[in-house]
Amino acid sequence: MPDLSGYWLGAVMENSRPLSLDRRNFVVGATALASALAAPSILRAQTRELVVGAASSQKSWSEEIMIPAFEKKHNVKVIFEGTRSLVNLEKMQKNKDKQYLSVVQMDDPVMITAVAEGLLDPITTARVPNAALLKPNLTHMDGMWVNYLQPWVGIAYNTAKVTTPPGSWAEVFDQKFKSRVILPSLQNTEGVLALFIASYLKTGKPMSEAQKDIDSAFAKLVEMKPNVLMSYTQEAQAYNLLEQGEAYLVAGAISSVAMARKSRGAPVELAAPKEGTFSMPSGIALVKGGPQPELAAAYIDMLISAELQSKISAATFALPVNKTVAAPAGLENLIIHPVDWANVSKNRASWVARWDRELSL
Amino acid sequence: MSDRTPDRVALLALPALVYMVIVFAIPVMVLIGRSFFGPSGLSVTPYIDFLSDGFNWRVIFNTLRTAALTTLVCLVIGYPTALALSWSKGFVQAIMLVAIILPLSVGVIVKAFAWQIVLRRDGIVASLLMATGVWDEPKLLLFTETGLVLGAANIFLPFMILPIYSVLKLIDPSLQHAAATLGAPPVYRFFRLSLPLAASGIISGCSIVFSLATSMYVIPSLLIGDRYQTLPTLTARAFLLMRNERLGSTTATILLFLTIAIVMLTAWLVRRREVQT
């Protein structure tokens, strides 16, 4: 039996080539075929469509809340092409002369690349009025992209093993959690955020400055080594260990993931540390030269509107981006510190190499 | 007519040959080529860069050490099992064969998750060692080299047992009786009779398990995590995360040559010893 690993992790990491590059052509072709075969469909053939190059992790609320509301209001069919950021970037690069995506969801670091290659159109308050209601720090590079939600990282804990919720990041380093803590690997985005938190704890600097001091971050993580049970790349494994009680804490747990486990009945709870935290990069942008530009702007406008934000935020436990919407109960005082993603993109590879060396067994 | 027969027989291997050339030989050539050809033409810089870093030597050492330990555990457990299998008959033998082959149909991820349950601090291994007084307190087995080797040996065990069994079952049992009749004690019979006769099976079993163990990726990813890098985990990361094809091709080529060299060297040493004795 060969080690099927590459196949498996490859699939998980979604490194696959963009398979759906021609999906729109297929849809158009299929529609044409259907019209040819069924005469009454002439009436339907006029239905407009909007293709969103989306983040597959955001599929459930997109399909349950956002898309039905948008389709109803604008009488349009939304095609949700859920994939990962780099694939969306590739789709835009390959179709630069004739874009078929109108809206794109990508991680902030990938947005920086897309801006540099001139693939995005700025989001202005003239086109997207609700952009004026965004919280500070959520509009990037003069409106080239905005954040549509703030899933945050906290401390997930096993409620059977930890009875007092950890209120501070410092508790993760407490001796009582010797070899019971799971960290995200630096290969995962939330691992980068955990690194910044370590730096903050070591230096006591404000989080915005602490994220520049990576030497201190590693110094703190090395101190923490005895507490680290493992560092995960596959979140399913991390939560498995947490729910079985082999691990007590996941420090750097993504809110949406932890809450999804909790809602399925797992003995897991998520604590929001008093020092504040970071949010996972969740950007949305208008594709330059994409079809249906007005609809594309309307899509983003609706997504960041007060009505949709309060629904999505309640469903995912993420913080809303619209300042007129209240945070979910219990998160009213949670501070989200901005991240310098350009700095992350530039240094990520060297941090990963350093992690190998300094955190190895 | 008759002198053309071998050619025709060789044709039977053609489908396999074509298949292997397309899905294996060509991709491996491309991979090796990519490690030597960069934007500025032919160079060995990636190899020099990689091998001049002390940390990478530790990664190579980790890879080979884990594979060697896994092979050893498989051999120690697998040889007696193969022996029992070759001595057993009828229903018992069928049950044993099923027990060895059936686990191959269980995915490696499922097995790795199962080991996670077995090896955790309130798992069966820790409970057993505590109950028998070997351990005073539960110790960490998961995410240690011991856990990794145990898990890997479990997954690769059939690849050790089956080649040894296929050789052992061909050995005439009367040889043992003859040796015993001539006064050879059991230990002497084992080292001078059974072991040399089974050598070819042991070599193939060890080669298969060692090759699988040097190239395993899911098993270390799940049982030890990214704090214990091996050549396959570094290779995967170079391609998937860093998008550094040159580095990935380099580590993959190093792994390929190390594994081939060690397997061939071992087989040659054993065969040479065999000829001498």
Side-chain angles (χ1 to χ4, degrees), chain B residues 184-195:
Chain B
V187 174
Y188 185 87
R189 293 205 307 267
F190 177 74
F191 282 106
R192 300 308 296 264
L193 184 70
S194 310
L195 212 53

Side-chain angles (χ1 to χ4, degrees), chain A residues 70-359:
Chain A
F70 187 75
E71 287 184 338
K72 199 172 156 205
K73 185 171 174 193
H74 294 278
N75 185 30
V76 59
K77 172 93 192 110
V78 174
I79 297 173
F80 181 90
E81 285 197 4
T83 178
R84 70 197 300 253
S85 300
L86 285 167
V87 175
N88 277 329
L89 178 68
E90 226 168 306
K91 284 179 182 175
M92 288 193 288
Q93 288 167 333
K94 291 212 168 117
N95 299 294
K96 201 169 177 180
D97 301 328
K98 196 176 186 308
Q99 295 289 4
Y100 76 100
L101 298 177
S102 299
V103 177
V104 72
Q105 281 175 309
M106 301 192 297
D107 289 353
D108 296 35
V110 184
M111 287 287 186
I112 297 170
T113 314
V115 172
E117 296 186 14
L119 296 168
L120 304 178
D121 243 357
I123 294 168
T124 57
T125 45
R127 294 178 70 191
V128 182
N130 279 323
L133 300 177
L134 286 169
K135 291 184 200 165
N137 298 322
L138 301 185
T139 306
H140 305 272
M141 297 180 84
D142 302 320
M144 291 313 271
W145 80 91
V146 299
N147 293 118
Y148 56 86
L149 214 53
Q150 288 191 297
W152 46 281
V153 294
I155 306 172
Y157 59 97
N158 180 313
T159 46
K161 303 286 184 185
V162 181
T163 40
T164 6
S168 159
W169 290 110
E171 285 187 45
V172 175
F173 296 81
D174 194 304
Q175 261 211 317
K176 70 183 173 199
F177 294 125
K178 187 165 179 284
S179 80
R180 296 289 183 180
V181 176
I182 293 179
L183 291 180
S185 159
L186 207 45
Q187 298 185 49
N188 298 25
T189 305
E190 65 272 29
V192 176
L193 305 177
L195 191 68
F196 296 161
I197 289 158
S199 168
Y200 163 79
L201 286 173
K202 182 79 182 175
T203 60
K205 289 180 191 167
M207 292 236 194
S208 54
E209 282 170 47
Q211 61 184 288
K212 303 275 191 286
D213 188 349
I214 294 305
D215 288 339
S216 302
F218 276 105
K220 190 73 192 179
L221 286 180
V222 169
E223 278 174 35
M224 194 198 168
K225 249 173 146 178
N227 275 18
V228 181
L229 173 65
M230 58 97 64
S231 66
Y232 75 90
T233 48
Q234 308 298 321
E235 60 201 19
Q237 186 188 22
Y239 285 92
N240 212 285
L241 289 162
L242 183 69
E243 287 157 20
Q244 290 174 4
E246 179 69 7
Y248 295 171
L249 305 177
V250 176
I254 304 173
S255 56
S256 49
V257 180
M259 297 317 283
R261 304 292 290 212
K262 185 193 165 190
S263 69
R264 268 177 262 149
V268 171
E269 190 56 77
L270 185 68
K274 63 171 197 266
E275 298 91 349
T277 183
F278 299 103
S279 72
M280 291 295 286
S282 314
I284 194 161
L286 295 166
V287 179
K288 193 183 216 167
Q292 314 270 21
E294 312 76 35
L295 273 179
Y299 187 87
I300 296 178
D301 194 53
M302 186 184 234
L303 178 54
I304 60 178
S305 70
E307 190 193 344
L308 267 290
Q309 281 292 309
S310 77
K311 282 184 188 162
I312 299 168
S313 158
T316 59
F317 211 54
L319 294 186
V321 293
N322 188 311
K323 62 186 172 198
T324 65
V325 178
L331 300 180
E332 295 82 2
N333 301 318
L334 180 63
I335 308 156
I336 305 277
H337 303 279
V339 173
D340 181 353
W341 289 110
N343 182 46
V344 174
S345 309
K346 205 169 67 199
N347 296 302
R348 181 88 171 264
S350 68
W351 295 345
V352 169
R354 195 163 167 187
W355 169 281
D356 282 352
R357 281 148 226 258
E358 300 193 16
L359 276 134

Side-chain angles (χ1 to χ4, degrees), chain A residues 17-85:
Chain A
R17 309 290 301 173
L19 292 171
S20 49
L21 272 183
D22 295 320
R23 180 159 163 195
R24 181 165 189 260
N25 294 342
F26 170 74
V27 170
V28 171
T31 314
L33 185 68
S35 340
L37 292 175
S41 70
I42 285 168
L43 293 173
R44 273 187 317 204
Q46 296 304 315
T47 308
R48 298 181 297 173
E49 64 178 40
L50 183 78
V51 188
V52 179
S56 49
S57 53
Q58 317 294 331
K59 190 173 181 250
S60 56
W61 62 258
S62 298
E63 290 190 340
E64 283 158 27
I65 303 171
M66 175 65 200
I67 294 175
F70 187 75
E71 287 184 338
K72 199 172 156 205
K73 185 171 174 193
H74 294 278
N75 185 30
V76 59
K77 172 93 192 110
V78 174
I79 297 173
F80 181 90
E81 285 197 4
T83 178
R84 70 197 300 253
S85 300

